[in-house]
Amino acid sequence: MKIAMIGAGAMGSLFGSLLAEAGKSVTLLDIRKDHVDAINTHGLTVEKGGQQKTVRISATTDAETIGPVDLALVFVKSTHTDDAAQTAARLSGSTGLVLTLQNGMGNADTLANALDPGRVIAGTTSHGATFLGPGAIRHAGEGETVIGPWTPTAMDKAESVADFFNQAGIVTRAVPDVHALLWAKLFINIGINAITALTGIKNGQILDLGSTRALAREAVNEAMAVARARGIAIQGDPVEKVYQVADATGPNRSSMGQDVDQGRATEINAINGFIVRMAREAGIPVPVNQTLTTLIETLQAHY
Ligand code: KPL
């Protein structure tokens, strides 16, 4: 199976390295020439638990050099999904599958508009990664990857990708209701990302103060009200889940925190901003998400 990673930041490089280490044929595609050059010259350096290893993997800035692939993984920031969807459509031809494990909402829809929706698979992953510099990432945490078909008829395709990932040592499960899964991940990002990005704290520090716990809870409660209005099945207690993930990823900066630290555009519009838009349509007040969105937008505008 030939694979392309569209977007080789921290997470794209991590998944690419896991697949390459398992002997799979994978090419990283990224716009950062310094990152691509470093990987092609020295290999990708992956740091994990204080140990470093080098993974040999090919990388390019030019999608045209990759040729048709059986599986394209989209790992760009959600601000770049439109372009990535066009690239995914070209690379996957008429039969290849396209998988998004990106944060936020709207990514799978964008892919499904650019290519046959029956070939789109979406999901979430609990792996964590940090971009350290050109050619270097840190594997910051391990966990399950859960994927599902964007259209109900494509369950067998999601299962085949899950089997393929499991063979490569990436623990993966296929589920039929990917929409509920993406909302469950959205609640986590709603409770952690903007708060950590705005305050400079690490994920686990949300739990240190009653005030940040309450802020995360209020943001998630608003998002749950929007989800209910849209008929989304909510499993378990999303606020408790936010606290668990904040604890489990305690020493990490959230991806939005890393974006703000580096002066990069954040995924606010696919996370808290998404809730604000959906809430407006449903006539539900979401003052906490509105404020978090406005503050992140302000920060970005003044980098
Ligand atoms: O997905 C994440 C992110 O940072 O975007 C969490 C789960 C919050 C881990 O940092």
Side-chain angles (χ1 to χ4, degrees):
M1 186 184 283
K2 201 170 163 201
I3 309 152
M5 309 294 311
I6 304 177
M11 291 298 291
S13 294
L14 173 66
F15 268 72
S17 72
L18 294 172
L19 292 167
E21 274 188 299
K24 309 296 182 192
S25 163
V26 50
T27 306
L28 304 180
L29 173 65
D30 202 86
I31 51 170
R32 268 164 304 195
K33 193 172 177 312
D34 55 354
H35 185 46
V36 163
D37 287 347
I39 293 170
N40 286 330
T41 311
H42 307 292
L44 176 73
T45 304
V46 182
E47 186 197 302
K48 189 180 175 197
Q51 310 273 2
Q52 273 194 359
K53 63 183 171 187
T54 302
V55 180
R56 290 283 160 191
I57 182 167
S58 69
T60 180
T61 54
D62 182 3
E64 304 308 320
T65 61
I66 300 180
V69 297
D70 305 295
L71 177 64
L73 261 85
V74 179
F75 256 128
V76 297
K77 292 278 174 194
S78 55
T79 42
H80 293 115
T81 306
D82 278 332
D83 286 346
Q86 299 307 320
T87 306
R90 277 203 306 281
L91 289 181
S92 63
S94 54
T95 54
L97 302 179
V98 178
L99 167 64
T100 164
L101 294 174
Q102 296 159 279
N103 268 343
M105 298 302 251
N107 298 304
D109 274 324
T110 304
L111 294 174
N113 285 335
L115 57 115
D116 165 17
R119 291 191 284 118
V120 175
I121 300 167
T124 64
T125 182
S126 304
H127 280 275
T130 307
F131 189 77
L132 299 178
I137 58 162
R138 178 180 301 129
H139 190 175
E142 277 194 68
E144 198 184 33
T145 298
V146 187
I147 62 175
W150 196 240
T151 54
T153 50
M155 186 62 189
D156 56 329
K157 297 194 175 78
E159 278 166 348
S160 72
V161 173
D163 287 346
F164 179 76
F165 276 14
N166 282 314
Q167 281 161 25
I170 303 170
V171 178
T172 307
R173 192 160 51 91
V175 296
D177 188 358
V178 77
H179 296 266
L181 177 76
L182 295 186
W183 274 89
K185 178 71 194 288
L186 180 70
F187 294 142
I188 294 171
N189 294 131
I190 294 270
I192 296 179
N193 291 29
I195 296 172
T196 49
L198 287 164
T199 56
I201 61 175
K202 302 211 162 88
N203 293 359
Q205 292 177 300
I206 285 191
L207 305 174
D208 290 352
L209 300 178
S211 51
T212 39
R213 278 174 173 265
L215 190 57
R217 183 175 60 240
E218 282 159 27
V220 174
N221 280 339
E222 288 179 1
M224 284 163 64
V226 173
R228 279 194 203 95
R230 297 181 71 83
I232 301 296
I234 297 175
Q235 286 139 10
D237 179 347
V239 175
E240 261 320 302
K241 187 74 189 162
V242 165
Y243 295 160
Q244 279 166 17
V245 173
D247 185 41
T249 61
N252 297 356
R253 275 290 271 152
S254 70
S255 56
M256 197 178 289
Q258 293 182 47
D259 286 340
V260 164
D261 296 345
Q262 304 294 322
R264 291 190 298 246
T266 72
E267 300 184 303
I268 191 70
N269 281 318
I271 301 178
N272 307 78
F274 171 82
I275 290 299
V276 171
R277 290 195 301 282
M278 295 301 116
R280 203 171 290 141
E281 280 176 20
I284 296 172
V286 289
V288 174
N289 281 283
Q290 177 65 73
T291 304
L292 292 171
T293 303
T294 305
L295 290 174
I296 291 284
E297 284 173 351
T298 308
L299 202 56
Q300 289 180 161
H302 295 278
Y303 279 151

